[in-house]
């Protein structure tokens, strides 16, 4: 096959785009028969689970559905089981003839794995896996912050304040703080609320920051912030707005960014299947990143401001 491909390139052969399109259409428009298993490789210790996070569950569900449509089964393999090592897991996957691996989001940022991907095609989610560097499918965190900030300004808010944990910012490769700070520079100096980057973000640090700087809308990640405000006697959205950067309910209650997690999972599988078809294995020399945009959802925790309060 390689010899024929080499000769074809020398002769200047190019595939017929219409036939290639027909082939892709047939693969995606009709159910495929089962072909093989793809691995969902989890690195969570006992007592922890990626399933505790709604977005990560969405990744898995979207990936499972898309894999099934393409003729694959997605199966979870856990590194932290009794007696398991990276070397043993590599041999298990190879013996099972698993050629493609989706590396689940890591429990913490800057994670390094001793797993060798030489025999596998692999795609990971987000920026939490520092080493080895693999192809990535994730949501566009920088653009999502821009979207949230600009929507809040358009609603008439004057003093947005960002309150997130340092670890949350690191998991997004510091895109949250970078995008917020960049957008904030377009506001008058008196409207620039200092960022709260908690270590971690807790009620005891959040409420003093809120009372001192009085943002008219809080941008956060975790829903617990709503409970902290309510317990302090602050009405939401009447007295202050709250926008989450990853809403857990697609906008039923919380206003903010819907991560589109099912699409992220589906695109990761498509990326991985393409790699396996091309037999691209191991860590890439040039890792590629596929970004999926987040979607603003109105929810019920922000509201349009009166003209007197608007910028």
């Amino acid at each position: 096959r390689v010899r024929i491909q080499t000769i074809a390139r020398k002769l200047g052969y190019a595939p017929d785009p219409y036939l290639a399109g027909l082939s892709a259409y047939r693969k995606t428009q009709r159910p495929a028969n089962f072909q093989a298993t793809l691995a969902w490789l989890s690195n969570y210790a006992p007592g922890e689970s990626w399933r505790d996070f709604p977005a990560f569950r969405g990744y898995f569900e979207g990936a499972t559905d898309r894999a099934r449509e393409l003729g694959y089964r997605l199966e979870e393999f856990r590194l932290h089981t009794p007696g398991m090592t990276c070397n043993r897991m590599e041999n298990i996957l190879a013996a099972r003839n698993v050629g493609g691996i989706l590396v689940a989001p890591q429990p913490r940022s800057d994670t390094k794995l001793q797993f060798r991907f030489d025999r596998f095609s692999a795609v990971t989610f987000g920026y939490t896996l520092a080493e080895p560097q693999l192809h990535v499918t994730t949501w566009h965190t920088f653009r999502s912050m821009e979207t949230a900030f600009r929507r809040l300004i358009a609603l008439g808010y004057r003093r947005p304040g960002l309150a997130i944990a340092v670890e949350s910012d690191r998991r997004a490769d510091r895109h949250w703080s970078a995008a917020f700070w960049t957008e904030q520079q377009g506001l008058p100096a008196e409207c620039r609320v200092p960022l709260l980057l908690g270590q971690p973000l807790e009620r005891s640090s959040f409420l003093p920051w809120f009372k001192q700087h009085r943002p008219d809308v809080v941008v956060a990640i975790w829903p617990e912030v709503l409970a902290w405000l309510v317990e302090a006697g602050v009405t939401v959205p009447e007295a202050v707005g709250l926008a989450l950067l990853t809403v857990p309910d697609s906008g039923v209650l919380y206003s903010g960014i819907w991560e589109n997690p099912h699409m992220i999972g589906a695109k990761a599988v498509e990326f991985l299947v393409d790699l396996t078809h091309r037999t691209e294995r191991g860590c890439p020399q040039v890792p590629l990143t596929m970004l999926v945009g987040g979607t603003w959802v109105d929810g019920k925790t922000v509201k349009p401001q009166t003209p007197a309060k608007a910028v």
Side-chain angles (χ1 to χ4, degrees), residues 133-290:
Q133 291 192 344
L134 303 174
H135 296 303
V136 173
T137 301
T138 189
W139 62 309
H140 202 329
T141 45
F142 195 98
R143 181 59 55 81
S144 294
M145 175 62 86
E146 289 180 336
T147 298
F149 194 102
R150 295 172 186 179
R151 180 58 64 94
L152 294 172
I153 295 300
L155 287 170
Y157 289 102
R158 300 179 63 246
R159 291 173 50 80
L162 176 65
I164 60 175
V166 169
E167 173 64 11
S168 297
D169 201 29
R170 287 176 179 167
R171 292 184 68 88
D173 204 22
R174 297 179 174 82
H175 289 175
W176 295 134
S177 58
F180 186 90
W181 184 88
T182 301
E183 290 295 311
Q184 195 181 48
Q185 301 315 296
L187 299 179
E190 64 273 15
C191 294
R192 300 174 193 171
V193 176
L195 280 63
L196 174 60
L197 297 176
Q199 188 76 283
L201 184 66
E202 296 177 331
R203 185 179 186 275
S204 59
S205 59
F206 170 78
L207 289 179
W209 168 84
F210 176 77
K211 292 177 181 178
Q212 178 182 355
H213 299 290
R214 288 295 175 181
D216 55 4
V217 59
V218 175
V219 181
I221 290 180
W222 301 117
E224 288 81 359
V225 173
L226 176 59
W228 297 344
L229 290 169
V230 172
E231 290 169 6
V234 180
T235 57
V236 179
E238 290 76 17
V240 64
L242 174 64
L244 298 186
L245 293 169
T246 172
V247 299
D249 59 359
S250 68
V252 175
L253 171 61
Y254 297 99
S255 307
I257 298 295
W258 175 240
E259 193 174 330
N260 292 313
H262 290 79
M263 180 178 292
I264 292 173
K267 291 301 178 184
V269 163
E270 293 175 1
F271 197 168
L272 180 61
V273 169
D274 285 345
L275 293 175
T276 60
H277 286 176
R278 296 194 299 268
T279 63
E280 295 184 19
R281 308 195 188 283
C283 301
Q285 290 185 347
V286 181
L288 303 180
T289 300
M290 178 184 293

Side-chain angles (χ1 to χ4, degrees), residues 63-107:
T64 299
D65 292 343
R66 187 62 179 134
R68 186 183 304 111
E69 292 171 356
L70 295 176
Y72 292 83
R73 178 178 63 234
L74 185 63
E75 182 177 342
E76 181 180 6
F77 293 83
R78 291 176 288 177
L79 284 171
H80 288 280
T81 54
M84 184 59 66
T85 64
C86 286
N87 184 64
R88 186 183 176 196
M89 180 63 76
E90 294 163 21
N91 292 331
I92 290 174
L93 294 178
R96 291 276 305 273
N97 198 30
V98 174
I101 300 175
L102 286 182
V103 182
Q106 300 301 308

